[in-house]
Amino acid sequence: MVHNRDKRIINVIYNYNSPSKKTYSILTEKLKKKGFIIPEKYDEKAELNICIGGDGAFLRAIHRFNFPNIPFIGINTGHLGFFQEILPENIDDFIEKYINEDYMIEEIFLVKASVTTKEKSFQLYGVNEIVIKGIRSKVVHLEVFIDGNHLESFCGDGIIISTPAGSTAYNFSSGGSIIYPSLKTLQITPLSPISSRAYRSLPNSTVVPGEIPITIKPEYRYENSILIVVDGFEIKYDNLTEITFTVPSKTISRLNFDKNMYWNNLKSKFL
Ligand code: NAP
Ligand code: MN
């Protein structure tokens, strides 16, 4: 990575619980001693974003700063912290390795939804997943197409379109598979699919290559009963006609200090 050697800026993003605040002051103290500049306000010219908190804090930081190109590293003060590689007690080791450039850069693939309503069209981006659900706990009726081919008329609670990074989150709790982060894919995971003589929905997940678009169309008479949930944030649109999901070329970069991290993390956090 190219650094401006005179002015090395690092954004430190933290939430307001007391372990995060404590970690923030310890970390910034140590970074300043090594000559780094820690701005008060988020600086777009920074070389690194350090996010203190749990996975939720990491997700919110990406959305809040509009999917920055600056790489991220997380310090876990949260509950699970699957994304958050560094523990507060290992800060010294982390700074040492960061200065020595002893790390790899890993790309996190995202999910992009191109949403069309009768009035407008626009894009949404998710890190973990984008979920299509019914409002007020209603059953949703959705037509699912892969690369323009009709797959199913889905009925049930909803459908999760998960990224590889999000595969260990909502997708996993809903019976979806864990997908290694370097696999550029989207996973379609049903939420309580109805499979009966009245309705036929696939009961399991489908993993689709990132180059192939997935389209979901609500049945027209239900077009006003759809809720879109992006990384846990609910959005409601009127007259929704179509949503197409793809893997965008934009990614989020993240530092990785240990090539065995993913598998060790998986075991220690889920078993
Ligand atoms: P939250 O309610 O704290 O999230 C639920 C749990 O999911 C937390 O323990 C969180 O870790 C963990 N998590 C988030 N992203 C993860 C990932 N990529 N891999 C493994 N675990 C992950 O809410 P939040 O922190 O704002 O996170 C939003 C996410 O919650 C959504 O994107 C969705 O994936 C997930 N969610 C899960 C369910 C479910 O499993 N039934 C339902 C709704 C939403 P931390 O404790 O470190 O924050
Ligand atoms: Mn959380």
Side-chain angles (χ1 to χ4, degrees):
M1 210 186 303
V2 188
H3 297 306
N4 178 346
R5 290 287 157 190
D6 316 319
K7 209 168 161 225
R8 298 191 62 178
I9 305 166
I10 297 181
N11 292 313
V12 183
I13 304 152
Y14 63 110
N15 53 25
Y16 289 97
N17 63 39
S18 73
S20 296
K21 278 198 245 170
K22 198 174 145 222
T23 304
Y24 173 84
S25 38
I26 295 168
L27 175 71
T28 49
E29 183 91 355
K30 289 181 192 284
L31 287 172
K32 282 175 187 165
K33 269 197 192 131
K34 297 284 182 186
F36 292 100
I37 297 164
I38 317 300
E40 287 291 321
K41 234 176 109 247
Y42 184 84
D43 190 331
E44 288 184 355
K45 292 184 299 298
E47 62 180 58
L48 179 68
N49 285 335
I50 303 180
C51 181
I52 304 171
D55 293 321
F58 176 67
L59 296 171
R60 281 184 289 277
I62 293 173
H63 283 273
R64 186 165 144 217
F65 300 112
N66 209 8
F67 295 81
N69 293 323
I70 303 166
F72 278 87
I73 184 72
I75 301 181
N76 187 26
T77 56
H79 283 118
L80 187 73
F82 194 74
F83 283 127
Q84 305 290 81
E85 179 165 344
I86 311 297
L87 293 174
E89 54 268 35
N90 299 335
I91 284 177
D92 288 318
D93 187 44
F94 151 66
I95 295 174
E96 181 81 23
K97 283 186 172 153
Y98 182 68
I99 290 170
N100 295 330
E101 297 186 26
D102 186 7
Y103 55 79
M104 292 159 286
I105 298 265
E106 187 184 289
E107 301 296 325
I108 295 181
F109 292 118
L110 304 170
V111 53
K112 170 180 165 186
S114 302
V115 182
T116 313
T117 73
K118 284 193 179 133
E119 292 81 30
K120 53 184 173 177
S121 52
F122 50 88
Q123 271 84 46
L124 300 171
Y125 291 85
V127 181
N128 271 346
E129 75 283 293
I130 299 181
V131 188
I132 308 301
K133 279 187 171 171
I135 53 162
R136 297 189 294 272
S137 306
K138 285 202 172 105
V139 169
V140 279
H141 300 260
L142 305 168
E143 299 298 341
V144 182
F145 300 83
I146 298 187
D147 211 5
N149 303 292
H150 184 258
L151 179 71
E152 61 173 339
S153 297
F154 176 89
C155 284
D157 282 2
I159 287 179
I160 301 175
I161 307 291
S162 168
T163 63
S167 67
T168 46
Y170 199 0
N171 169 74
F172 183 62
S173 323
S174 309
S177 293
I178 291 171
I179 305 290
Y180 194 74
S182 64
L183 298 170
K184 190 181 176 186
T185 56
L186 292 177
Q187 181 166 187
I188 307 172
T189 295
L191 292 168
S192 301
I194 303 179
S195 222
S196 66
R197 286 186 61 175
Y199 299 113
R200 282 253 161 262
S201 310
L202 283 176
N204 300 104
S205 297
T206 307
V207 178
V208 179
E211 295 69 38
I212 295 183
I214 300 164
T215 300
I216 294 183
K217 296 185 190 176
E219 266 187 48
Y220 70 94
R221 56 196 159 124
Y222 301 107
E223 64 193 19
N224 284 318
S225 51
I226 303 293
L227 194 62
I228 302 181
V229 192
V230 182
D231 293 335
F233 302 99
E234 286 188 354
I235 318 168
K236 162 91 181 71
Y237 299 106
D238 291 330
N239 305 320
L240 227 155
T241 52
E242 190 175 311
I243 310 164
T244 294
F245 299 92
T246 48
V247 180
S249 51
K250 163 137 209 80
T251 56
I252 294 292
S253 309
R254 171 174 188 269
L255 304 189
N256 182 333
F257 289 94
D258 173 3
K259 74 171 184 56
N260 298 316
M261 165 80 186
Y262 187 80
W263 303 112
N264 295 336
N265 204 18
L266 196 64
K267 179 168 176 169
S268 69
K269 297 211 164 135
F270 287 99
L271 290 171

